[in-house]
Amino acid sequence: MHTYNYGNITEALASLKEEGFTIDFNINIEEFKINPHDYEIVHIFRYEGDSNPDDEATVYGIQSKTIKEKKGVFVSGFSANSDCEFSRYLKGLTIKGHKGL
């Protein structure tokens, strides 16, 4: 298991980009909506603000199960404004390496 300690979202996104996570699913939702079950979450980074809940966010590294080169990121906030169509799709994705009970 790998542990990553990024100081902020920008560092996490830069590292994921270096690993080939180039699709921005916040902008390119159609790329994901075509067949969401072909994707899995391979990285999750969660950030909490010091005092403001609006500073909380999660960065997801998402990869196609069938085309390993098709990788991207999605950034989701925890505020009431963060609910979007893509966030609802995330609930159905598998997390790579996660074993059920």
Side-chain angles (χ1 to χ4, degrees), residues 38-89:
D38 277 352
Y39 290 86
E40 64 185 346
I41 298 169
V42 294
H43 296 287
I44 301 173
F45 306 105
R46 184 165 185 243
Y47 296 92
E48 296 183 16
D50 291 334
S51 61
N52 187 346
D54 287 338
D55 293 338
E56 297 178 1
T58 302
V59 176
Y60 297 92
I62 299 170
Q63 178 175 326
S64 169
K65 293 178 184 178
T66 56
I67 305 171
K68 296 300 180 191
E69 299 81 28
K70 189 178 271 191
K71 301 187 279 189
V73 295
F74 180 75
V75 180
S76 175
F78 288 110
S79 69
N81 300 330
S82 68
D83 188 34
C84 71
E85 185 177 7
F86 194 89
S87 294
R88 290 189 290 276
Y89 282 116

